[in-house]
Each structure stands twice: as structure tokens, then as C-alpha cells.
Amino acid sequence: MSALSLLSKPAPSDSFVDPAAFRAGMREFAAGVTIITTGTGAERRGLTATAVCSMSIDPPSLAACVQVTAAAHAEIVRSGRFAVNMLAADQEPLARRFAGMTGVHGAERFAEGNWTTLETGVPVLADAVTAFDCVVIAAIDRGTHTLFIGGVKAVRTDATRPSLIHRSAAFTTLA
């Protein structure tokens, strides 16, 4: 059986670990905090995410996991573009805002922060540690999330500030 056929036919979910145990384990996985953004104007949407990683250097691409019930999910599917904004340690209030912890939703979330655009027109944080502007080149639906693979069209980096990290259900930094 090829690896590809294994990917297309997952084992029954009852053969996996309990979701609560999985969640508890993943909470200990320290990860950089990002805001994934998409859309323009009144259709701007965004969410806080830690499930982002590099995919390939050639072509430059990254992977971002987005919950299918998130408002940004439908807009990423519709528009075919998104940005990944890696947050600095002092941007925790934005992380909370886009995580839904402040009760603000939709395009209203963008009332805070210094927003601009790069190549695709989706919002990027002007003062993010790094901002990746992407077009969707593939999407894999799996359970509660879609793995969007983004081809990076533009990148802007300011490595002078420490990054925001999330671990054990708390925000922190390495600095």
C-alpha cells in the first residue's frame, strides 16, 4: 500500500487517543503565536493560531491549520488568500482579541493594530515580527480543521523584537 493511499484512508477515530488527552499533550507544545488574516474591507477576518509551520523552501510555502467553524475559514476558501502574522511579545492583547477572548468579532477585530497590505491585499500587521502574504495552493480537510498550504507571495521581517510564544494555555516569550 502506498503512503498516499494511507493518507486518504485514515484509521477509525476510535483507534486514536482520547481527544482530551491529545489536547492536554498539545498544550505543552510551545509554539509561536500568529494571527491568520484574510479578506478585504468589511470581509476582513482573522484568528489567533499556533498551528503554522514552514512547508518548503522551493517553492516558498507554509502550512496553516484553521478550524472549519472559524469565520476566517470560509473567507480563505472564498478568496484563496491569507496572511500569517507572527506576533511580538508586546502584541499579546492582539492575540487575545483575535482569539475571541475580548468578545470582538469579524472585521471589528481590525480596529486595533497597525494594519497594512503586501501583495495579495489581505491585512498584515505592519509591526509583526514577520508577515507572510500567501495564496492557497492546496487545502486538506481533516476533521475539525483544514490544512491550508500557502504559496508565499511576499514576506516582511523585523527580527529586532522577541516573539510571542504559547505554552500550557498561557502566553510567554523567550526573551
Side-chain angles (χ1 to χ4, degrees):
M1 178 177 279
S2 74
L4 185 56
S5 64
L6 287 174
L7 289 175
S8 63
K9 298 178 184 176
S13 61
D14 64 355
S15 68
F16 296 120
V17 69
D18 175 68
F22 175 71
R23 181 176 289 134
M26 289 305 297
R27 282 188 178 142
E28 300 310 314
F29 189 80
V33 179
T34 71
I35 294 176
I36 298 173
T37 55
T38 189
T40 59
E43 299 306 314
R44 290 178 298 174
R45 298 293 181 266
L47 64 125
T48 300
T50 56
V52 175
C53 68
S54 64
M55 186 78 179
S56 174
I57 194 77
D58 188 17
S61 54
L62 57 77
C65 295
V66 178
Q67 189 170 16
V68 298
T69 59
H73 184 277
E75 184 59 24
I76 293 170
V77 170
R78 188 198 69 73
S79 71
R81 55 198 176 147
F82 65 95
V84 174
N85 301 275
M86 297 174 65
L87 299 184
D90 63 352
Q91 293 175 314
E92 182 179 335
L94 279 176
R96 292 181 177 285
R97 183 178 186 88
F98 279 81
M101 298 173 157
T102 63
V104 178
H105 302 283
E108 291 180 42
R109 290 180 172 173
F110 295 88
E112 300 289 329
N114 184 12
W115 298 98
T116 188
T117 60
L118 294 175
E119 188 171 323
T120 70
V122 301
V124 296
L125 269 171
D127 53 353
V129 172
T130 300
F132 297 96
D133 194 16
C134 304
V135 294
V136 176
I137 57 176
I140 302 167
D141 294 320
R142 185 63 74 204
T144 59
H145 287 67
T146 298
L147 173 72
F148 291 105
I149 300 172
V152 179
K153 301 295 281 181
V155 62
R156 198 194 66 254
T157 300
D158 174 7
T160 63
R161 296 162 49 221
S163 296
L164 185 62
I165 306 294
H166 194 262
R167 180 181 175 264
S168 294
F171 294 105
T172 187
T173 186
L174 297 177

